[in-house]
Amino acid sequence: MVSLFDHKVSELHQLLHKKEITVSDLVSESYKRIGEVEDKVQAFLTLDEERAREAAKKMDEKIGTDEAKGLLFGMPIGVKDNIVTKGLRTTSASKILENFDPIYDATVASKLHNAETITIGKLNMDEFAMGSSNENSGFKATRNPWNLDRVPGGSSGGSAASVAAGEVLFSLGSDTGGSIRQPASYCGVVGLKPTYGRVSRFGLIAFASSLDQIGPITRTVEDNAYLLQAISGVDPMDSTSANVDVPSYAEALTGDVKGLKIAVPKEYLGEGVNEEVRQSVLDALKVLEKMGATWEEVSLPHSKYALATYYLLSSSEASANLARFDGVRYGYRTPNPENLIDLYKKTRAEGFGDEVKRRIMLGTFALSSGYYDAYYKKAQKARTLIKQDFENVFEKYDVIIGPTAPTPAFKIGENMSDPLTMYANDILTIPVNLAGVPGISVPCGFSNGLPLGLQIIGKHFDENTVYRVAHAFEQATDYHKQKPGL
Amino acid sequence: MSRISTDQVKHVAHLARLAITEEEAVTFTEQLDKMISFAELLNELDTENVEPTSHVLDMKNVMREDKAEKGLPQEEVLKNAPEHQDGYIKVPSIIE
């Protein structure tokens, strides 16, 4: 089926400029498609149709003038529901924030306003971004557009599924342990987790503050670069955002990977990695080799400790971050508390889902007196070793390549009984967050009709090399041109 | 042997300000025990001379000018409060 969203941002911009289409056409394309497939995909938690259509009408009058020069002018976007949007309900997919109406915009939301994209709605996710399948949403489970019995991945499942299904041109997600890259892989789209500090976290409902990053999910690498351009940069409201130059990402898309040195960690193609996934990565390496890149096997020896390190650190940070949900200033409040402590306890028991409670419990335990050194501090030290693994490899190599996830999308319900099995899905993406480096997932094949993703990891603040490699690979293959038969 | 007892789980739930049922206490004991055992994989690592990482970027004490700026209007701030009265957020009484 033909869609306006089969065009890249740069092409749509030209069509607008030549007055062959209007912003209203783009917005209508979104809501028309949502009308057709949303009851199957279930990607959205809130739609903002009336305001989006009104904004489009006003913007149509600017077409052809200098005010419409921005590349993202009029482009329909979906936003993950843990990014606060002023006057547009934001729940983080939690019952505890079911009726939360933000009174300010996240920095990325302000930046989208400045770029004049149009927000179509807010996207489903695992509650507070804790999960790998969207099954932990407090409201509903999003489905994989390629196969409705499969999960879209998570936690940015709605963000990836809505782009794959053609409901929006592109979207924003967030990634704490793989939450952009893994769903991008499962849904056959492009998802980037930027370097920690590249994008402001102000207004991102915090899960694990030392790991969280907001990033773009798109159909193509080029669009991804343009969307990251719009949201990058230091922010006085986020003291962990980095005061470093923001390069032109699109300029990196040269198609040239001659002389590029690729490292392939043996731990990323070993035990637990599905054979077809492994083969798709080896095939991708051949494609890059043909273009003049070279690759060698390396070791990231502390990889096997990443999962345990991650769950201790992220749960500890989450237990502190989620203390703010106490039923006092905003959000859900239990109806008949006996006293203040009872109000806190019942509000949280009734407002949080099982996975969120489990992680708050683990984090509180790891930070509690007598266990802090043995668990939390130990994990912080393990994090240093994992980070050093990356530093060592990047002394000799330009990028690290492996699969994004060990398997294609799994069946809904398949991993819900055992939290540890579910967590293992993130084994190849988690180390990247612990090290704080950027990583992208690009489509690299199919297994029984389900998309597979290639993960390309770069040095701190070297998104450009990551994009250059991803783009060169994309241009040499046509996986990104396939669409789900919804 | 279990690494965590049901009593400990109840104590942790109290610290986390989470009301849990007896049934949940049992489930959490099993699940946390599994997770903690899994986390003990880290004991294989010699971290004697390793510095902990709390933050990946080399930055500290990010300062800004101490300049007063206008806050949010009271009406807006109270908009999401579950209960409020006379411009205050209301909670159950804490002093008898």
Side-chain angles (χ1 to χ4, degrees):
Chain A
M1 196 173 127
V2 183
S3 159
L4 276 177
F5 303 153
D6 294 340
H7 294 285
K8 296 187 294 184
V9 165
S10 53
E11 294 165 349
L12 290 173
H13 180 69
Q14 278 304 316
L15 290 173
L16 278 174
H17 188 70
K18 287 192 248 163
K19 300 195 176 178
E20 286 178 27
I21 58 166
T22 63
V23 177
S24 293
D25 291 338
L26 289 169
V27 168
S28 292
E29 182 79 48
S30 261
Y31 290 113
K32 192 187 88 194
R33 186 67 177 156
I34 288 168
E36 287 164 3
V37 300
E38 181 59 11
D39 60 336
K40 294 186 226 167
V41 180
Q42 305 273 324
F44 284 90
L45 288 174
T46 308
L47 291 172
D48 201 20
E49 181 162 359
E50 204 174 307
R51 277 195 294 189
R53 287 191 186 275
E54 227 165 84
K57 252 190 228 163
K58 280 189 194 147
M59 290 169 76
D60 282 338
E61 290 165 22
K62 295 185 189 171
I63 295 175
T65 73
D66 278 359
E67 286 179 77
K69 267 193 174 163
L71 196 57
L72 300 188
F73 176 89
M75 303 293 161
I77 193 165
V79 177
K80 188 176 180 180
D81 209 29
N82 58 353
I83 295 170
V84 302
T85 43
K86 189 175 178 181
L88 180 59
R89 188 175 83 118
T90 299
T91 69
S92 216
S94 180
K95 293 265 186 220
I96 213 161
L97 286 176
E98 188 161 8
N99 300 310
F100 183 60
D101 182 12
I103 55 176
Y104 67 96
D105 264 327
T107 296
V108 292
S110 309
K111 282 177 178 270
L112 290 181
H113 286 311
N114 293 340
E116 296 192 86
T117 60
I118 294 192
T119 301
I120 296 301
K122 302 299 292 289
L123 293 159
N124 196 24
M125 52 185 282
D126 290 291
E127 183 179 4
F128 288 110
M130 296 174 187
S132 315
S133 69
N134 266 39
E135 290 163 290
N136 294 334
S137 165
F139 303 108
K140 60 184 179 185
T142 298
R143 287 160 185 268
N144 192 314
W146 293 87
N147 180 334
L148 298 169
D149 296 331
R150 306 265 166 169
V151 302
S155 66
S156 311
S159 301
S162 60
V163 174
E167 295 180 304
V168 285
L169 177 62
F170 48 27
S171 67
L172 290 184
S174 71
D175 190 315
T176 305
S179 282
I180 288 174
R181 291 159 289 155
Q182 185 253 26
S185 169
Y186 283 8
C187 292
V189 293
V190 181
L192 176 98
K193 182 203 87 76
T195 308
Y196 182 83
R198 179 60 98 187
V199 177
S200 168
R201 295 184 296 108
F202 178 71
L204 172 68
I205 296 172
F207 161 16
S209 307
S210 80
L211 301 160
D212 299 341
Q213 265 293 286
I214 296 169
I217 296 180
T218 56
R219 287 241 191 122
T220 65
V221 175
E222 186 184 300
D223 286 1
N224 207 280
Y226 287 134
L227 185 50
L228 181 65
Q229 199 79 51
I231 60 169
S232 291
V234 67
D235 176 13
M237 301 301 277
D238 173 9
S239 62
T240 64
S241 65
N243 194 2
V244 294
D245 284 341
V246 178
S248 161
Y249 303 119
E251 273 177 27
L253 310 179
T254 59
D256 180 12
V257 292
K258 220 169 165 188
L260 181 93
K261 286 189 248 159
I262 302 168
V264 180
K266 61 177 188 209
E267 293 83 3
Y268 285 26
L269 292 175
E271 205 187 326
V273 176
N274 167 300
E275 184 49 35
E276 279 178 279
V277 169
R278 207 175 78 91
Q279 196 53 50
S280 73
V281 171
L282 295 174
D283 291 346
L285 290 167
K286 275 189 206 140
V287 170
L288 291 166
E289 247 177 344
K290 265 197 194 152
M291 291 189 278
T294 56
W295 69 272
E296 284 178 317
E297 191 178 274
V298 299
S299 176
L300 296 169
H302 297 96
S303 296
K304 74 168 193 181
Y305 303 104
L307 202 57
T309 303
Y310 173 81
Y311 277 95
L312 286 171
L313 294 180
S314 65
S315 302
S316 298
E317 292 185 31
S319 73
N321 275 326
L322 270 58
R324 73 192 60 178
F325 301 104
D326 56 6
V328 174
R329 290 151 301 156
Y330 46 76
Y332 172 79
R333 177 186 284 194
T334 191
N336 296 307
E338 282 166 29
N339 51 46
L340 190 60
I341 296 283
D342 191 53
L343 179 147
Y344 297 149
K345 285 188 174 180
K346 282 192 182 142
T347 293
R348 290 161 65 78
E350 291 158 19
F352 289 139
D354 287 347
E355 182 64 24
V356 172
K357 288 181 191 172
R358 198 152 43 230
R359 299 210 200 184
I360 289 174
M361 290 289 290
L362 177 63
T364 306
F365 171 76
L367 291 175
S368 66
S369 167
Y371 298 96
Y372 179 89
D373 284 343
Y375 295 103
Y376 181 67
K377 204 158 185 193
K378 184 78 183 179
Q380 283 191 313
K381 289 180 172 186
R383 183 176 186 181
T384 304
L385 297 172
I386 290 160
K387 187 175 168 241
Q388 283 168 355
D389 281 355
F390 281 87
E391 286 163 0
N392 293 338
V393 168
F394 281 132
E395 273 177 24
K396 278 180 67 184
Y397 300 90
D398 301 307
V399 290
I400 294 171
I401 286 185
T404 305
T407 65
F410 49 89
K411 284 196 182 120
I412 290 172
E414 191 175 317
N415 288 336
M416 282 305 268
S417 55
D418 182 2
L420 283 174
T421 322
M422 182 69 99
Y423 296 171
N425 275 288
D426 300 330
I427 200 149
L428 304 170
T429 46
I430 276 172
V432 173
N433 299 75
L434 290 170
V437 292
I440 200 169
S441 180
V442 285
C444 73
F446 290 89
S447 166
N448 295 323
L450 296 168
L452 304 174
L454 183 74
Q455 186 174 208
I456 304 164
I457 303 161
K459 300 170 187 174
H460 279 134
F461 299 108
D462 193 15
E463 281 83 0
N464 269 357
T465 303
V466 171
Y467 275 141
R468 181 159 58 90
V469 180
H471 174 74
F473 175 74
E474 178 191 71
Q475 295 308 300
T477 55
D478 66 357
Y479 305 116
H480 65 291
K481 289 184 183 154
Q482 318 271 332
K483 291 201 291 182
L486 262 176
Chain B
M1 197 191 85
S2 185
R3 280 159 181 80
I4 186 164
S5 68
T6 305
D7 279 346
Q8 265 178 302
V9 164
K10 287 179 185 168
H11 176 62
V12 170
H14 171 70
L15 292 176
R17 298 293 185 261
L18 268 179
I20 58 171
T21 61
E22 281 298 324
E23 209 177 53
E24 280 175 314
V26 173
T27 313
F28 277 135
T29 307
E30 280 170 29
Q31 289 176 338
L32 285 181
D33 183 53
K34 260 196 200 173
M35 288 181 189
I36 296 160
S37 319
F38 174 66
E40 283 178 357
L41 180 69
L42 300 186
N43 292 341
E44 286 177 24
L45 291 170
D46 178 6
T47 52
E48 184 71 29
N49 297 308
V50 179
E51 285 296 314
T53 296
S54 56
H55 193 267
V56 285
L57 302 178
D58 188 24
M59 50 161 76
K60 44 186 162 242
N61 297 342
V62 179
M63 310 292 265
R64 62 166 172 80
E65 218 185 314
D66 185 18
K67 209 174 70 189
E69 277 179 43
K70 228 180 154 187
L72 292 160
Q74 191 181 57
E75 194 186 311
E76 284 281 286
V77 174
L78 291 174
K79 199 168 73 176
N80 282 291
E83 249 187 289
H84 60 91
Q85 191 183 321
D86 306 330
Y88 291 94
I89 289 166
K90 209 173 163 187
V91 292
S93 69
I94 46 173
I95 301 165
E96 294 296 316

